[in-house]
Amino acid sequence: MSSSDLAVSVRNLSKRYMLTHQGSRHATLAEHILDRARHPFRRPDTESFWALKDFNFDVHRGEVLGIVGRNGAGKSTLLKILSRITDPTTGTIELFGPVGSLLEIGTGFHPELTGRENIFLNGAILGMRRREILQQFDNIVEFAAVDKFLDTPVKRYSSGMYIRLAFAVAAHLNPEILIIDEVLAVGDVEFQKKCLGKLQEVSNEGRTVLFVSHNMAAVRQLCTSAIHLDHGLLTKHGKTDEVVDHYTTTRPVPPTLRHPNKHGLTLFTLDLLDPTTNIRTHSPIFNHDYMLKAHIHATKELTYASLRLRFFDDSGTKISSIYSPEEGIPPFTMHGDIHFTFHLPRLALFPGRYIISLEIARPNDPMVYLSVEDALLIEVQPAYLNGATWSYEKSHGLVRLANSAQLEFGVHALACSSAKHANP
């Protein structure tokens, strides 16, 4: 294959970091100086950590490559190497064309400069001439919807305004290779749709897109191929549907978190239990009753806390959530062992795989005490309702609504309510 057919070629790529472990911690600077004086030649323990290991793949011109994997799988490291922010430890990367990257809010922007000035600065970084930037200037401003704040320093922009302008610049200044991280999650739903439409337009023009996202629906919609990363290894590369199916069916159940985080919190367990037998299960039956129980330990006192559980399907779409203040539990103080129990009568999730995340945070405050993605994975099983031979499956949707129905024949009526029927 000639280089004219390729946009990106990666061979034997690896990235290693050295982790340092201090033998002891010092409360004061004086203690640190005294310890160094006593042990001037002692070196801290170090450990090799391979963020990426032996990567090989090609990306064709005009291809939209999705990159999927759990947090810590190596996705961001790969994008930073492809964007030439950091160097690989071993291996080679060939990029056939100018690269535009949007890896995090503020990439390539100067906070003291205005939106107008940053458009020209970012364009220059991408290798665009002033005349080329001027040709796209109005389109950038219209797409970002920041015309009223164009001459305001971007340090005063909200995160949404920042990301809109950054994406608009990256997408309109015609880099042949566009690298996009999960930063689109910052925008609202309408802007995300707008961005996906623009990315499809970019790919139709023959440019190449590398797209990282936890939203599997967006990956399926946008990407022509995908790769799955797991603990620094490339485990699958191929058609988008095949890779996404591989990823969603091989996501491991996370181990119990036994070591307290920086806030002193440990999640011992999050379990789904049958209320009649108190037996935990990962395969609940649709429309049956269950309980969610969380056991958390706090080694120090934390005040004004709340708990939130979020339910996602296997494509990353958020289905629902449980928030303790909404369930009548006011903000609480945590110290020692804490147990939460939430009752789920008539489980309404249609058959399929679901992921439950857990978060302990202060209400209406950015402070997060504990956040655990994939805290519990369940696979809801089908069931027959009301003695009928009709099996409710995920093809009917995601959630079955409690409802009442009435069928009339002239003056006679046959009425029923789903709430009146016992579990099948």
Side-chain angles (χ1 to χ4, degrees):
M1 182 179 297
S2 68
S3 61
S4 61
D5 300 316
L6 291 176
V8 180
S9 180
V10 175
R11 291 291 177 269
N12 303 315
L13 178 68
S14 296
K15 179 62 178 181
R16 180 181 62 184
Y17 292 100
M18 300 303 296
L19 306 181
T20 301
H21 304 288
Q22 296 288 348
S24 62
R25 296 183 178 273
H26 306 288
T28 66
L29 177 61
E31 290 179 3
H32 176 75
I33 294 174
L34 182 60
D35 182 71
R36 294 297 296 171
R38 289 174 177 172
H39 309 284
F41 302 107
R42 184 174 65 188
R43 294 183 177 180
D45 294 332
T46 58
E47 174 189 355
S48 294
F49 170 71
W50 290 92
L52 300 174
K53 190 69 174 175
D54 296 330
F55 269 52
N56 291 279
F57 66 90
D58 294 323
V59 185
H60 299 253
R61 291 188 183 276
E63 187 175 349
V64 182
L65 179 74
I67 304 174
V68 301
R70 291 166 55 87
N71 287 340
K75 304 186 299 298
S76 295
T77 300
L78 175 61
L79 295 194
K80 288 177 181 178
I81 294 175
L82 292 173
S83 302
R84 294 168 291 190
I85 294 173
T86 187
D87 293 326
T89 303
T90 63
T92 61
I93 294 176
E94 292 183 278
L95 302 170
F96 301 96
V99 177
S101 301
L102 188 54
L103 304 186
E104 58 185 59
I105 297 175
T107 301
F109 276 22
H110 194 295
E112 299 295 337
L113 299 181
T114 66
R116 184 189 305 274
E117 292 166 336
N118 270 296
I119 291 174
F120 285 93
L121 172 64
N122 213 251
I125 291 173
L126 292 175
M128 310 299 293
R129 296 180 179 179
R130 183 177 179 83
R131 176 175 52 81
E132 296 172 314
I133 299 171
L134 285 171
Q135 288 175 348
Q136 292 289 346
F137 187 86
D138 291 341
N139 294 331
I140 293 171
V141 175
E142 180 182 358
F143 188 94
V146 294
D147 50 309
K148 293 182 180 179
F149 309 97
L150 200 55
D151 295 307
T152 300
V154 296
K155 67 180 180 181
R156 299 196 177 100
Y157 283 17
S158 68
S159 59
M161 294 166 60
Y162 220 127
I163 201 65
R164 290 203 304 270
L165 184 60
F167 180 87
V169 171
H172 285 83
L173 292 184
N174 300 323
E176 292 188 24
I177 303 169
L178 184 58
I179 300 175
I180 304 290
D181 204 347
E182 187 65 72
V183 291
L184 298 188
V186 177
D188 56 35
V189 173
E190 289 302 317
F191 180 69
Q192 290 181 36
K193 291 180 179 178
K194 197 174 180 180
C195 290
L196 291 175
K198 183 61 181 178
L199 290 178
Q200 288 179 324
E201 179 184 322
V202 166
S203 66
N204 291 337
E205 293 172 355
R207 290 185 277 162
T208 307
V209 180
L210 278 66
F211 180 58
V212 166
S213 179
H214 289 287
N215 186 335
M216 295 301 104
V219 172
R220 289 183 191 272
Q221 173 187 342
L222 178 66
C223 301
T224 55
S225 64
I227 60 175
H228 173 215
L229 279 60
D230 185 21
H231 293 90
L233 300 175
L234 196 161
T235 62
K236 192 169 183 64
H237 181 196
K239 295 180 179 179
T240 303
D241 287 341
E242 294 176 358
V243 173
V244 171
D245 289 343
H246 172 79
Y247 168 53
T248 56
T249 56
T250 58
R251 295 168 75 168
V253 177
T256 302
L257 305 179
R258 293 290 183 182
H259 301 290
N261 66 5
K262 64 180 181 180
H263 296 292
L265 285 185
T266 301
L267 174 64
F268 281 162
T269 57
L270 177 65
D271 293 317
L272 187 71
L273 296 97
D274 185 320
T276 59
T277 63
N278 215 35
I279 296 176
R280 69 177 58 136
T281 179
H282 292 277
S283 301
I285 300 174
F286 165 68
N287 206 53
H288 279 220
D289 296 342
Y290 292 95
M291 296 186 302
L292 266 173
K293 284 193 172 183
H295 175 196
I296 298 166
H297 184 80
T299 60
K300 55 186 178 182
E301 185 174 291
L302 298 174
T303 61
Y304 203 67
S306 65
L307 180 142
R308 187 188 296 272
L309 300 171
R310 293 184 174 91
F311 295 73
F312 300 85
D313 70 1
D314 57 8
S315 69
T317 301
K318 184 164 65 176
I319 306 303
S320 187
S321 63
I322 298 174
Y323 188 37
S324 58
E326 296 174 353
E327 305 303 321
I329 303 175
F332 47 84
T333 296
M334 304 185 67
H335 198 196
D337 284 324
I338 303 99
H339 297 269
F340 297 92
T341 301
F342 296 98
H343 295 272
L344 303 175
R346 300 174 64 86
L347 184 66
L349 298 175
F350 278 130
R353 291 172 58 88
Y354 298 90
I355 302 99
I356 305 174
S357 68
L358 180 146
E359 180 181 277
I360 300 286
R362 293 173 65 91
N364 302 316
D365 191 297
M367 172 59 71
V368 176
Y369 293 132
L370 177 68
S371 179
V372 184
E373 293 186 1
D374 297 358
L376 180 65
L377 279 71
I378 61 175
E379 185 153 2
V380 179
Q381 305 300 313
Y384 292 91
L385 296 182
N386 308 324
T389 57
W390 184 264
S391 176
Y392 281 82
E393 300 178 352
K394 195 176 179 182
S395 60
H396 301 124
L398 295 173
V399 176
R400 180 173 185 260
L401 301 176
N403 69 89
S404 61
Q406 182 170 300
L407 177 63
E408 296 185 0
F409 296 96
V411 295
H412 301 286
L414 175 65
C416 65
S417 171
S418 64
K420 296 178 182 179
H421 297 288
N423 290 333

